[in-house]
Amino acid sequence: MIIESPVFFIKKSSKIGVSCFFILLFFGVTLTKVFSQTSPDILNLSLKDLDKIFLDKNLALLVSKANIDINRAYKSQALLWDNPQISTEIGSINILQPNYGDAGFQQIYGQVSQLIKLAKKRQKLADISEFTAQLSEAQFYDLMRSLKHQVHADFYDLSAVETKLKWYSAQIGIFNKIIDANRTQFKAGNVAEKDVIRLLAQRVQLQHDSAELNRSRIALNTDLKTLLASKNEIEVKPQLPQINLNTSDIVLADLITYAIANRPDNKAAALNTRVQEKNLVYQKSLAVPDLTLGLSFSRTGSYINNYLGVQAGIPLPILNKNQFNIKAAEYSIKQQEAQQESVAVLVSSDVVNAYRRLLDLQRWKNSEAAQAYADYEKFYNQNVVTSFEKRLMTLIEFIDYFQTYQQNKFQTIDNDLQTIQAAETLEFVVGKEIFNK
């Protein structure tokens, strides 16, 4: 009846039927477009693939990189001379004499002048721009280092979330089979209703936790979409690399030395000090007045006709010697030197803390506790579900075993994640790749 009714309706009122048909067709096309737009692009990416896309497309990096070119342009601009100035005056009317229209009495005046900056001001200003460009470059690499670390963190977080979601899916499937079997036994009078309800409650809890974790997966993909500057919705499927976290050959002192010498934020702090030093030199040069040279010509306006004069002018440095700008530049140097020392101390502390955390996590992975987790998971998978299905253990025992298994499983996943994240953090604070990936 549901299928035949529209046909009967169209025959009775064909115009209305055709209208309804096109309306339904319109909504069908619209919904198809909506679903096609919201369907994310599935990206099976390795860490190297992700890095390549990030370096090519990240908008924050593109913006920061432009600062380097901007400051190099400022350097070129600083080296240019000031434009010469020219002025002229033509007096074609003399109101005091009756023959004012006589061309022989017209006054013509002209002047040309050029500002000459003394004390090498242009070069000293260019030096500031050069070191500012180097500072922008160091800041660019520091931003790249920070964002790349964030990309890697999201990548490994997403991998752990995907692993947990697969585990939830598998366990919900197992509980579905157990619940179906217990419902059958309940109908036969062999299982109490409370046992079925308890199993249902456990499955609901798993479904709820899985949904919460899926929201975390969506948030991580959204973060990666922003970092990769993707216009479309994406869903990254991490392809984990084989990682050798061998720390036996690592010397902590060597890592600290390398980080202090090469980490971009420490380089930026040193370059900022150089910028302030160059600014002090420039401010001192501004205390030297600039020279203006020029030529002037007057046809009839001087004590002789066709007068040609040479001009020279210079300000007298009596009231303003730029003394307070010089004082401010000196304070800026002291301030930046303290900041540079602070960054160096922070770099050293970062390396020590990251190295010790990685060693601590590796000790746990090699401990008896980690082996006990692995043994318990093996025991659960081989014995617990089968024993419960054969009625060799009670529901309370099964739930207890299961919850302990879930806790151990997630602790193992989290500890593996924390270990690889600690290795990533060590590379981040040192400023170079240490482990083979």
Side-chain angles (χ1 to χ4, degrees), residues 85-91 106-113 293-302 306-311:
Q85 293 185 351
I86 185 169
S87 61
T88 185
E89 178 183 334
I90 300 176
Q106 285 183 337
Q107 159 67 343
I108 298 176
Y109 176 80
Q111 181 185 31
V112 61
S113 62
L293 296 178
L295 291 174
S296 64
F297 170 79
S298 176
R299 183 178 181 184
T300 61
S302 184
N306 299 319
Y307 169 82
L308 180 65
V310 177
Q311 296 177 334

Side-chain angles (χ1 to χ4, degrees), residues 174-182 199 385 388-389 398:
I174 292 173
F175 266 82
N176 287 338
K177 294 178 181 179
I178 293 175
I179 289 170
D180 290 342
N182 277 264
L199 289 169
V385 175
F388 178 68
E389 289 175 339
F398 171 70

Side-chain angles (χ1 to χ4, degrees), residues 282-326:
Y282 176 66
Q283 294 300 329
K284 288 182 177 179
S285 73
L286 291 178
V288 178
D290 295 328
L291 176 65
T292 301
L293 296 178
L295 291 174
S296 64
F297 170 79
S298 176
R299 183 178 181 184
T300 61
S302 184
Y303 68 96
I304 59 172
N305 292 335
N306 299 319
Y307 169 82
L308 180 65
V310 177
Q311 296 177 334
I314 189 168
L316 296 177
I318 299 174
L319 302 177
N320 182 359
K321 299 180 181 179
N322 204 41
Q323 57 268 40
F324 293 108
N325 282 336
I326 294 173

